Each structure stands twice: as C-alpha cells, then as structure tokens.
Amino acid sequence: MAAYNKADLERRMAGAVEALKGDLSGLRTGRAAVSLLDPVTVEVYGAHMPLNQVATVSAPEPRMLSVQVWDKANVGPADKAIRSAGLGLNPIVDGQTLRLPIPDLTEERRKELAKLAGKYAESARIAVRNVRRDGMESLKTDEKKGVYSEDERKRHETEVQKLTDATIAELDATASAKEKEILGK
C-alpha cells in the first residue's frame, strides 16, 4: 500500500469527475452537439479511428449535424459507423458530406437517457468512494509505520472526507444539470 498522497487522491477524484462529464456529453439532449459523435469510431485504412480524425463535424443548425468526410473512400465506412453507433441517427449522404437530422426525443427516451445519466453518476460516485477508501487505508498504514501520529491521521482523514464530499457534490450537480437538460426542464 502506497503512502498517503493528497495530490494523488485529488487527481484520481478529478479523473472520476472528468470521466462522468465525458460519459454525459455522449447523451443526446435533442439539440445538435458535435460531442454527440465523439464515441463513434470508423474502420478505415485497416484500423478503427475516431470520426473526428477522418472528417470535420459541425452543427450548422440547432437540429442538424454535418459531417464533412475528407477522403471520398471513407464516406461509406463513416455512414456505417454512425448508423451502428446506437445513437438513433440516420445519415443522409450528400457527396462527401453526411447530414444528420437530430430527431425529437420522445418522453420515454428522455426518461431512459435521464436514468442512464443517473447510472453514470452513481458509478462515478463509487469510483470516488473507492479513492477515499484507498486514502483512508494508506493513512492507517502510515500511522502503524509511525509516519503520522493519531492526531495527524485524523486531521488527514478529515481532509480526505472533505475532498470526497466536495467531489461527490460536484458529480451530483453535473449529473442533475444533465438530467434537467435531457428532460427539457
């Protein structure tokens, strides 16, 4: 078990927040957002590449995404990748450009997406709690080794708990903002 390192705990908790933000950015809210296509990978040149490395993605209208494929040979694979990404989008091929009309979200789909946002938030909370547990265990180990006195350990544990509480509050705020956005409230 590694020695207590507050900076490492902060970094790991911040990582959980960033991971949640990344997960949530992939959830569709009914508005065209370029980040919606971030998880899409295209099979080109014998490898899987992110869509943004084979095309320019833009949002020319609030309910339309445009994907300008650079190489004409990659239009088919890009179209296939977007269709099979499970985003509910059906590209319209127009030369080297794929137009993606963003359909309205049904109430049922909005609720599903809001639930999914909640699941993402819960797994991020679990990750933060695991980091907290690791920090507390390393403090107890350090105390046994004589690195910290009992008072110092307790003071550091309070720091770890405050960091945990602040991070979880940030996760909750991020998730609840996304749920409101999805539900259109």
Side-chain angles (χ1 to χ4, degrees):
M1 189 95 219
Y4 170 72
N5 179 343
K6 185 178 177 189
D8 182 54
L9 295 179
E10 287 172 348
R11 182 189 55 74
R12 289 170 58 197
M13 286 187 186
V17 173
E18 287 312 305
L20 174 66
K21 287 179 180 172
D23 288 342
L24 293 179
S25 75
L27 293 181
R28 200 156 61 87
T29 59
R31 281 196 300 279
V34 211
S35 61
L36 183 61
L37 296 176
D38 285 352
V40 178
T41 56
V42 185
E43 194 171 342
V44 287
Y45 314 121
H48 286 278
M49 297 174 79
L51 182 65
N52 61 10
Q53 288 184 11
V54 295
T56 305
V57 181
S58 61
E61 300 168 34
R63 305 196 58 79
M64 174 79 70
L65 284 175
S66 172
V67 179
Q68 180 70 44
V69 184
W70 301 325
D71 184 348
K72 201 174 182 102
N74 295 336
V75 173
D79 176 44
K80 183 180 171 202
I82 293 168
R83 286 179 192 277
S84 62
L87 298 169
L89 299 174
N90 293 311
I92 300 162
V93 181
D94 181 12
Q96 280 183 243
T97 305
L98 300 174
R99 288 196 321 267
L100 302 160
I102 308 291
D104 275 329
L105 290 174
T106 63
E107 189 58 33
E108 189 178 316
R109 183 71 179 135
R110 284 179 191 276
K111 286 180 180 161
E112 279 175 28
L113 289 171
K115 262 189 203 166
L116 191 56
K119 280 184 184 162
Y120 287 156
E122 184 53 33
S123 57
R125 279 188 218 100
I126 289 169
V128 168
R129 286 190 208 110
N130 288 341
V131 173
R132 175 190 173 277
R133 186 196 59 224
D134 292 348
M136 295 297 196
E137 283 176 5
S138 64
L139 280 169
K140 285 177 184 149
T141 307
D142 287 351
E143 183 191 5
K144 283 179 189 154
K145 289 180 186 170
V147 178
Y148 295 121
S149 68
E150 185 180 348
D151 290 345
E152 285 174 310
R153 175 184 57 86
K154 285 183 178 170
R155 193 178 64 245
H156 286 306
E157 281 180 351
T158 306
E159 280 177 10
V160 171
Q161 188 57 52
K162 281 181 183 164
L163 180 62
T164 304
D165 294 343
T167 307
I168 286 183
E170 185 181 353
L171 291 173
D172 291 344
T174 304
S176 114
K178 186 66 175 188
E179 285 174 17
K180 281 185 183 127
E181 187 185 343
I182 289 170
L183 296 170
K185 291 179 180 165

